[in-house]
């Protein structure tokens, strides 16, 4: 049975020491987030994740969800009780607005908890995770009446939320949506259609489920300009807000799938179900994007979460399994073999996992802080900068973060050798659960296109220029510090590759769009490498200062410096290779005709 312990010390390092949240106390929402409170929330939420949710992960994977003849769905044993504890402790309310029953703490804390919960049990974490996205859309686009009716119950966790985009013929291309919404004359709409792959579409954890559904009104224009967003509750709320009549929405089946078995992935049938318009007709996509952006950040965190839990178990195994001898001579002469930990190739995998998980955690938490600053920063200029960086980095943490999360999970399975392939050891579950993160919320290729096609050119490249400026500024400062100068020079070099790749796109993609499509994936990865380089520069700077200040936690801070060096020497150079690949253009990619791919 695999184990999990929340990386509380590392999250505290990032939030309190690197991001220095304590220095932001004068900003709205930050006063309560003192370093002590941050430490307490991380400690307690980490305990909840590790002690209550993690033990249910492997049995939940084996049992899966069950759909019954009446269309109801039950989650595995223990999930109901764990979710009830989640609600009772108010964990879902951490970063939600106080006016709807939330605790109003900064988003960055919510992000840390999301990682812990998802490492412990990704399937379970998805039930409240999707609710968060639905809450975000109603908060921004819902009417005051809708907000008052739905948000307090969704934020407390009494009710859950879902997002319903996908249909059999409509995945990435939302313009193909067919679900119909016909006005009923009383302000409501009758929703008819079939949605597939709906996470948490039906379950037994909450007394009501609030579906957010994309559909078309009868006269809607074709394509994405004709999509509207509707709230379709499983039970129509009565006038006192309690769940009333059963709505005409039901779960037709649940999918049998590769991973996240304990999260119900449902076919949802809408048979003239009563729905309520959110925002304006035909403006649904913009509203859904609010939800999708939140969900994309959440999925990026899932990638990190599976890397972390796999890393913990990979490292533990490397420190207990004995095979072979160290190349430089026996380390444990009294034993018949040394720990596999002594082998450089095993270290390669462990160091890669450590550098990636800690780097991605720093990036996720920085983005969490930027989400906060986009609302709370003092000046319009600072708010815009934060918002630009969130927009730019969202496809990066989703695409690059989940690619790396999956890679790390697979590497940690490799550390276990054949035992990693055996179900009861739990390592293969991390790989299976991590795999979906590269697919849903927009497959990673689509994230790359979002980065290159939308985020990059928006406002004449303002966001990427802001990232360049940030990297240049921090490298310039770090280069004056002898302990950081080499790392800073390497980060600067990787950023130079990103600048050159950006220039190549400007010169070669406008006239030939396939060049943009062919370059996008490499571009997303170079951006990820540079963003993590910046994180490692910051973490190394903080660690060096702590050591210089006489900290007694020398093991923790020295490990940070060594891991930063590993990232600099072994990860940053990939930026150059990726740039060369990108500059090859689209020709060899697009040259072959369809018949060359047809198998006999
Ligand atoms: C377990 C699970 C849970 C899910 N949960 C939900 C949910 O809660 N709600 C919901 O609405 N949906 C959900 N989905 C659906 C998921 O978001 C989609 O599967 C995903 O967005 C991709 O759509 P698709 O499967 O139709 O693939 P397609 O759109 O058919 O894409 C197939 C491939 O083509 C590529 N591709 C397609 N278009 C482009 C393009 N323009 N440029 C470049 N590449 C392109 C894609 O990257 C992908 O690699 C879930 C799916 C799964 C498997």
């Amino acid at each position: 049975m695999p184990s999990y312990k929340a990386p509380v010390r590392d999250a505290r390092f990032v939030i309190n020491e690197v991001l220095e949240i304590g220095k932001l106390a004068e900003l709205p929402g930050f006063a309560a987030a003192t370093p002590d409170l941050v430490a307490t929330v991380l400690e307690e939420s980490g305990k909840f994740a590790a002690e209550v949710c993690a033990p249910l992960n492997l049995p939940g994977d084996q049992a899966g969800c069950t759909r019954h003849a009446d269309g109801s769905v039950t989650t595995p044993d223990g999930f109901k009780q764990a979710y009830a504890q989640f609600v009772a402790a108010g964990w879902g309310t951490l970063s939600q607005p106080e006016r709807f029953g939330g605790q109003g703490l900064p988003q960055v804390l919510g992000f840390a908890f999301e990682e812990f919960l998802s490492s412990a049990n990704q399937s379970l974490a998805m039930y409240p995770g999707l609710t968060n996205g639905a809450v975000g859309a109603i908060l921004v686009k819902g009417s005051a009446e809708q907000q008052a009716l739905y948000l307090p119950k969704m934020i407390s966790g009494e009710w859950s939320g879902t997002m319903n985009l996908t249909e059999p013929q409509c995945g990435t291309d939302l313009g193909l949506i067919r679900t119909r919404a016909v006005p009923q004359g009383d302000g409501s709409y009758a929703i008819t259609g079939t949605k597939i792959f709906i996470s948490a579409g039906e379950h037994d954890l909450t007394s009501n489920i609030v579906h957010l559904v994309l559909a078309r009104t009868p006269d809607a224009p074709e394509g994405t300009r004709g999509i509207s967003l509707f709230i379709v509750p499983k039970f129509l709320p009565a006038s006192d807000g309690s769940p009333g009549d059963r709505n005409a929405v039901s779960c037709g089946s649940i999918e049998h799938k590769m991973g996240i078995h304990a999260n119900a992935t449902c076919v949802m049938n809408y048979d003239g179900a009563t729905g309520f318009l959110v925002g304006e007709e035909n403006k649904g996509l913009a509203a859904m994007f609010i939800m999708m952006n939140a969900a994309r950040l959440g999925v990026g965190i899932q990638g990190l979460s599976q890397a972390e839990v796999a890393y913990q178990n990979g490292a533990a195994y490397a420190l207990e399994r004995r095979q072979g001898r160290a190349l430089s001579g026996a380390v444990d002469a009294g034993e018949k073999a040394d720990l596999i930990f002594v082998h450089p190739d095993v270290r390669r995998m462990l160091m890669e996992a450590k550098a990636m998980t800690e780097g991605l955690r720093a990036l996720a938490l920085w983005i969490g802080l930027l989400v906060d600053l986009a609302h709370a920063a003092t000046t319009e200029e600072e708010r815009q900068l934060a918002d630009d960086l969130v927009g730019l980095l969202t496809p990066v943490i989703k695409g690059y973060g989940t690619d790396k999360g999956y890679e790390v999970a697979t590497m940690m399975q490799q550390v276990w050798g054949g035992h990693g392939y055996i179900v009861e050891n739990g390592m293969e579950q991390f790989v299976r659960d991590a795999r979906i993160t590269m697919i849903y919320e927009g497959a990673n290729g689509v994230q790359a296109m979002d980065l290159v096609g939308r985020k990059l050119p928006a406002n004449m490249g303002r966001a990427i220029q802001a990232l360049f400026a940030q990297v240049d500024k921090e490298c310039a400062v770090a280069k004056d510090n002898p302990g950081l100068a080499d790392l800073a020079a390497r980060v600067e070099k990787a950023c130079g590759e990103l600048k050159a790749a950006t220039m190549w796109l400007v010169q070669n993609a406008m006239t030939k769009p396939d060049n943009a499509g062919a370059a996008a994936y490499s571009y997303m990865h170079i951006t990820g490498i540079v963003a993590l380089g910046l994180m490692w520069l910051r973490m190394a700077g903080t660690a060096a200062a702590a050591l210089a200040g006489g900290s007694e936690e020398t093991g923790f801070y020295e490990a940070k410096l060594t891991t930063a060096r590993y990232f600099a020497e072994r990860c940053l150079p990939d930026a150059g290779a990726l740039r060369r690949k990108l500059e090859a253009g689209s020709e060899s990619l697009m040259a072959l005709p369809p018949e060359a791919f047809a198998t006999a």
Side-chain angles (χ1 to χ4, degrees):
M1 180 95 160
S3 63
Y4 174 67
K5 192 166 179 294
V8 169
R9 176 67 188 100
D10 201 49
R12 189 154 53 78
F13 167 70
V14 176
I15 298 176
N16 282 349
E17 298 170 55
V18 180
L19 298 174
E20 297 184 299
I21 198 174
K23 289 193 178 162
L24 302 173
E26 79 286 358
L27 298 181
F30 281 80
T34 59
D36 283 351
L37 181 110
V38 168
T40 306
V41 169
L42 294 175
E43 196 65 49
E44 293 306 314
S45 65
K47 253 191 230 161
F48 171 74
E51 291 171 13
V52 177
C53 305
L56 301 174
N57 196 33
L58 196 136
D61 177 64
Q62 288 168 353
C65 292
T66 311
R67 179 185 175 277
H68 304 277
D70 63 356
S72 64
V73 171
T74 44
T75 51
D77 283 352
F79 272 49
K80 256 185 112 152
Q81 292 80 353
Y83 185 78
Q85 277 182 256
F86 169 91
V87 174
W91 287 123
T93 68
L94 272 185
S95 304
Q96 299 292 0
E98 286 172 290
R99 67 185 194 282
F100 296 115
Q103 297 181 50
L105 287 167
Q107 196 64 48
V108 62
L109 266 176
F111 275 28
F113 176 54
E114 258 182 79
E115 183 210 317
F116 297 171
L117 195 62
S118 187
S119 279
N121 194 323
Q122 184 173 329
S123 289
L124 179 57
M126 283 175 68
Y127 293 98
L130 281 145
T131 308
N132 275 343
V135 164
I138 298 174
L139 261 176
V140 179
K141 296 287 177 184
S143 65
E145 197 186 334
Q146 288 169 340
Q147 292 179 348
L149 189 56
Y150 294 101
L151 290 181
K153 290 202 165 66
M154 292 173 79
I155 285 174
S156 71
E158 196 180 325
W159 294 357
S160 63
T162 70
M163 55 194 280
N164 290 239
L165 292 73
T166 308
E167 298 178 9
Q169 78 296 342
C170 158
T172 303
D173 186 354
L174 294 173
L176 301 175
I177 278 175
R178 282 194 199 136
T179 297
R180 313 296 296 173
V182 179
Q184 297 296 84
D186 60 355
S188 73
Y189 292 73
I191 312 288
T192 304
T194 300
K195 296 285 179 180
I196 63 166
F197 298 161
I198 304 309
S199 298
E202 180 59 48
H203 57 80
D204 57 354
L205 302 183
T206 57
S207 60
N208 204 357
I209 303 175
V210 180
H211 302 290
L212 287 192
V213 182
L214 286 184
R216 282 180 190 291
T217 52
D219 305 322
E222 286 292 304
T224 51
R225 286 180 304 115
I227 298 174
S228 306
L229 180 65
F230 298 89
I231 292 176
V232 185
K234 175 178 168 185
F235 291 99
L236 293 160
S239 51
D240 64 355
S242 62
D245 292 341
R246 182 75 164 85
N247 206 351
V249 47
S250 58
C251 166
S253 61
I254 56 177
E255 303 293 348
H256 302 279
K257 56 193 193 290
M258 178 177 174
I260 51 166
H261 291 158
N263 192 272
T265 307
C266 303
V267 171
M268 298 302 297
N269 296 321
Y270 292 85
D271 300 310
T274 302
F276 306 96
L277 183 67
V278 179
E280 292 173 50
E281 272 190 19
N282 302 328
K283 297 275 168 63
L285 205 60
M288 198 53 128
F289 258 109
I290 294 164
M291 190 159 166
M292 280 157 61
N293 280 333
R296 283 173 179 181
L297 293 173
V299 173
I301 293 170
Q302 287 180 342
L304 154 67
S305 76
Q306 292 313 295
E308 170 64 31
V309 67
Y311 164 64
Q312 289 187 15
N313 287 279
Y317 191 74
L319 290 167
E320 111 198 356
R321 174 78 172 165
R322 292 184 180 277
Q323 291 292 301
R325 285 296 185 196
L327 295 174
S328 50
V331 173
D332 292 330
E335 301 281 350
K336 288 200 170 130
D338 285 333
L339 294 170
I340 58 170
F341 179 74
V342 302
H343 304 307
D345 190 59
V346 172
R347 288 294 185 91
R348 167 186 68 81
M349 295 189 275
L350 294 177
M351 283 308 294
E352 185 77 12
K354 190 168 170 56
M356 282 300 157
T357 50
E358 293 177 19
L360 286 171
R361 177 171 304 113
L363 181 60
L365 294 175
W366 182 42
I367 297 174
L369 182 64
L370 289 168
V371 169
D372 290 317
L373 294 178
H375 303 289
T378 318
T379 67
E380 173 56 29
E381 200 186 346
E382 289 168 315
R383 290 194 290 273
Q384 185 183 77
L385 171 68
D387 194 51
D388 283 349
L389 288 172
V390 171
L392 184 81
L393 294 171
T394 297
V396 175
I397 186 108
K398 198 295 183 178
Y400 174 77
T402 61
D403 278 0
K404 290 294 163 187
Y406 176 73
E407 213 174 284
V408 167
T410 311
M411 269 186 194
M412 295 302 97
Q413 180 189 32
Q414 190 76 10
V415 168
W416 277 63
H419 299 272
Y421 203 68
I422 304 303
V423 172
E424 70 200 33
N425 291 326
M427 296 305 287
E428 55 85 52
Q429 185 190 351
F430 303 139
V431 175
R432 287 186 287 104
D433 287 357
R435 185 66 184 87
I436 187 59
T437 63
M438 299 151 78
I439 298 173
Y440 59 19
E441 273 323 314
N444 283 359
V446 173
Q447 303 300 321
M449 286 305 297
D450 176 47
L451 176 65
V452 164
R454 295 181 52 219
K455 303 295 169 57
L456 206 55
N459 303 306
M460 309 284 284
R462 196 173 68 199
I464 193 77
Q465 293 300 338
L467 181 67
F468 293 157
Q470 193 88 30
V471 174
D472 289 347
K473 188 174 82 187
E474 296 189 36
C475 284
V477 173
K479 275 164 100 181
D480 288 339
N481 179 335
L484 300 175
D486 182 62
L487 173 60
R490 289 173 191 261
V491 173
E492 201 170 43
K493 186 160 185 238
C495 191
E497 306 287 7
L498 183 60
K499 288 176 183 170
T502 309
M503 188 50 71
W504 187 90
L505 277 171
V506 171
Q507 289 166 350
N508 295 279
M510 307 276 196
T511 47
K512 196 171 174 192
D514 274 351
N515 275 340
Y521 216 87
S522 297
Y523 190 86
M524 177 174 77
H525 272 245
I526 306 175
T527 315
I529 290 168
V530 171
L532 253 60
L534 181 62
M535 296 304 107
W536 274 113
L537 188 62
R538 287 179 182 177
M539 290 194 283
T542 305
L547 288 168
S551 167
E552 288 174 6
E553 280 186 278
T554 48
F556 179 81
Y557 292 117
E558 279 166 5
K560 283 283 171 207
L561 291 176
T562 306
T563 313
R565 181 169 163 208
Y566 171 89
F567 189 85
E569 291 175 357
R570 290 188 160 252
C571 302
L572 285 173
D574 288 347
L578 284 163
R579 175 192 154 197
R580 281 191 288 284
K581 192 160 148 177
L582 170 158
E583 289 178 352
S586 62
E587 273 171 33
S588 64
L589 220 70
M590 302 299 281
L592 288 179
E595 51 275 22
F597 295 91
T599 47

